Amino acid sequence: MRVGAGRSRLFTKAVAAVPALVAAGHVVPAGTWLAGPRRTWLPSLAGVGDTGHVALTFDDGPDPRSTPAFLDAADEIGVRVTFFVLGEQVMYHRRLCRDIVRRGHELAVHGWRHNRPWWPAPALETRQLARAAQAVADVSGTAPTWYRPPYGILTGDRLLAARRTGLRPVLWTAWGRDWTARASAESVAATVLRDLRGGGTVVLHDTDRHSAPGCWRATLAALPTVVSACRTAGLTVGPLREHDVGGGPDCDSSAGTTGVTGTGAGTGAALR
């Protein structure tokens, strides 16, 4: 009886440990949201690529109120970028997505909806991510390559879903904190350039749908400064498809040795 009771207790403890293990598998990968460890230990996930290139990316669209302004600005500057779009929005704005592709930009997957993964739901995550990828493929004529989860939260469920869907997760090395009500063209440019190096990936937003109302205008106004600073530093700017993420011998965790830094509150640039 005592042997049987001992086995019963062990079984009970094992069963009780299952939820904790599931939770850990769900949450621990989300630690990649932390920029320092990501750049150091997972450079490919951080978007570290060709040290002579900077990948420029935009999240949360498409949005007919603001995305066309970014397309016009990109044409004026002569730059092509990657738009991480939400599948739900793609379904509503197919024509806009086709225009993005027609004008030479790359479409990537930002998920189906802009939500936080509070609880493990691997089947749901896979189903929704596959649906979003199919929506992007339908409007672009090409299967997407990249996946960036909303908020950059790459849980175990989302990592598994990306693997099952054939998408490659990628986050960023520099951002502009352009989603806040206090964002200005100067603050966005200065924040991006402070952390940017050759081989880096920049994340910005072409919509305020999930941010402070009107904040996209600051991003739009900062765009020429960011691109000009990169070019002054001898760096080319383009989409992720041209970035050689993790593909070259120079793609290390330092994101290159060529730096870009803002001067005068982010209105200029210099090599360092």
Side-chain angles (χ1 to χ4, degrees), residues 153-178:
I153 301 175
L154 188 63
T155 61
D157 287 359
R158 288 179 167 179
L159 188 60
L160 178 62
R163 194 165 295 168
R164 289 174 171 173
T165 310
L167 294 172
R168 186 171 176 182
V170 64
L171 299 181
W172 59 83
T173 65
W175 63 9
R177 294 191 66 84
D178 58 337

Side-chain angles (χ1 to χ4, degrees), residues 82-83 85 90-91 93-109 132-146 167 241:
T82 299
F83 288 92
V85 295
V90 171
M91 300 299 288
H93 307 296
R94 289 175 176 269
R95 183 176 296 180
L96 176 55
C97 288
R98 292 191 179 102
D99 192 38
I100 291 172
V101 174
R102 181 185 64 79
R103 292 166 83 161
H105 304 286
E106 180 181 30
L107 287 181
V109 180
Q134 187 60 55
V136 170
D138 288 345
V139 297
S140 67
T142 305
T145 300
W146 310 102
L167 294 172
R241 68 185 174 215

Side-chain angles (χ1 to χ4, degrees), residues 109-204:
V109 180
H110 199 37
W112 181 253
R113 292 189 178 94
H114 202 276
N115 61 334
R116 286 185 173 90
W118 298 115
W119 305 105
L124 178 63
E125 289 286 354
T126 298
R127 185 165 61 250
Q128 291 190 340
L129 189 59
R131 188 181 180 190
Q134 187 60 55
V136 170
D138 288 345
V139 297
S140 67
T142 305
T145 300
W146 310 102
Y147 167 54
R148 176 182 294 148
Y151 306 103
I153 301 175
L154 188 63
T155 61
D157 287 359
R158 288 179 167 179
L159 188 60
L160 178 62
R163 194 165 295 168
R164 289 174 171 173
T165 310
L167 294 172
R168 186 171 176 182
V170 64
L171 299 181
W172 59 83
T173 65
W175 63 9
R177 294 191 66 84
D178 58 337
W179 60 87
T180 69
R182 295 183 177 182
S184 66
E186 292 76 17
S187 73
V188 172
T191 303
V192 169
L193 299 177
R194 182 182 64 217
D195 294 328
L196 190 57
R197 300 288 185 277
T201 292
V202 178
V203 59
L204 294 168

